[in-house]
Amino acid sequence: RVLCGTLRTEDIEYHMFGPRYTKSNDLNNAVPKQTIRCYLLMGSSFVRVSSVPAGHICAIYNLEGLQLKNVTICDTMNCMPLRGFDFGLQPLVKVNVEPVLASDTEILERGLLKLSLADASVEVTATSKGERILACLGEIHLERSILDLETVYCDHEIKLRISDPITSFCETTTWFENEDDFDAVFNDKSPPLRQSTIPPYCYEEGLSYANRGRC
């Protein structure tokens, strides 16, 4: 959506601000600058236009090189980047994705990056064990994301190994033994409870430290 001014095709080089940009003199925090193409969305078609005025929604070409989910475009450096949008949807289904051939690992990582940039509802995370977790909104969304990952977003079609859905360990409302005996609970001399929430989770300690708590 164009919030202010007029967006023009290939006439001006625009600054591309990421959501976490902060003004500083750090050379690593440089803002990329490039031209764009503007298109109007007409049903299933894209119509190229020379300019788009404020208040209109358009599609922009030539942003695929930016590894950002949200981009604020401005013709000057005096810009306050938008932090993105909260759609109120949280991914529910999580699986571990790994290539059948170990040589395709780098291709898979680049494909996951492109998928996460193309679909704002997808979350991609990595664990300390080296697992690549793909989180989607539901089973159908997961199937479509995996299909796109195999055939579209990877440099060439690769075979993937998908794990069973992953269930996170969370707190519950189940009462532990003698919880209604307040004197026994408050006067207990046992060591303090350890947090067993994942992530982060200390695999070396194990769940034995949380037997008296909610885990």
Side-chain angles (χ1 to χ4, degrees):
R1 179 181 293 274
V2 183
L3 301 179
C4 179
T6 301
L7 205 60
R8 301 186 181 278
T9 295
E10 296 184 343
D11 287 345
I12 303 175
E13 286 191 344
Y14 290 96
H15 299 277
M16 309 293 171
F17 296 92
R20 297 184 180 180
Y21 170 79
T22 55
K23 190 173 182 179
S24 66
N25 296 325
D26 187 2
L27 296 178
N28 295 326
N29 200 26
V31 179
K33 190 177 181 181
Q34 64 186 56
T35 59
I36 60 174
R37 296 184 200 168
C38 301
Y39 294 83
L40 289 182
L41 285 72
M42 306 294 290
S44 59
S45 303
F46 295 88
V47 179
R48 183 174 176 178
V49 293
S50 59
S51 63
V52 179
H56 289 72
I57 295 177
C58 67
I60 299 178
Y61 174 78
N62 200 23
L63 298 180
E64 61 273 8
L66 300 175
Q67 297 181 358
L68 299 168
K69 273 194 175 184
N70 302 297
V71 180
T72 303
I73 300 176
C74 186
D75 59 349
T76 67
M77 289 294 295
N78 300 322
C79 174
M80 180 181 295
L82 300 177
R83 295 293 182 180
F85 302 94
D86 183 10
F87 299 100
L89 300 175
Q90 295 294 331
L92 300 177
V93 182
K94 300 179 181 180
V95 294
N96 176 31
V97 181
E98 59 183 13
V100 175
L101 300 177
S103 58
D104 292 333
T105 300
E106 186 177 352
I107 297 175
L108 172 61
E109 291 179 349
R110 290 199 298 266
L112 287 171
L113 174 61
K114 294 178 182 178
L115 175 62
S116 64
L117 295 176
D119 191 342
S121 301
V122 169
E123 288 185 2
V124 177
T125 55
T127 66
S128 59
K129 290 183 175 181
E131 298 173 325
R132 297 161 188 83
I133 306 301
L134 175 63
C136 299
L137 298 178
E139 184 179 356
I140 297 178
H141 186 210
L142 176 64
E143 292 177 355
R144 185 64 203 182
S145 298
I146 293 174
L147 179 61
D148 291 342
L149 182 63
E150 290 178 330
T151 59
V152 178
Y153 296 111
C154 293
D155 293 340
H156 61 268
E157 187 171 348
I158 64 175
K159 297 298 182 181
L160 301 177
R161 185 182 295 113
I162 310 299
S163 71
D164 294 332
I166 299 173
T167 303
S168 301
F169 288 91
C170 302
E171 295 184 354
T172 71
T173 57
T174 302
W175 283 40
F176 55 84
E177 187 178 359
N178 297 331
E179 187 171 3
D180 55 346
D181 188 354
F182 295 103
D183 292 334
V185 172
F186 289 122
N187 296 327
D188 193 353
K189 304 300 181 182
S190 301
L193 299 177
R194 302 289 186 93
Q195 179 64 277
S196 62
T197 305
I198 299 176
Y201 171 70
C202 185
Y203 299 95
E204 290 77 13
E205 292 181 350
L207 292 175
S208 58
Y209 287 94
N211 287 337
R212 296 180 50 259
R214 301 176 175 87
C215 61

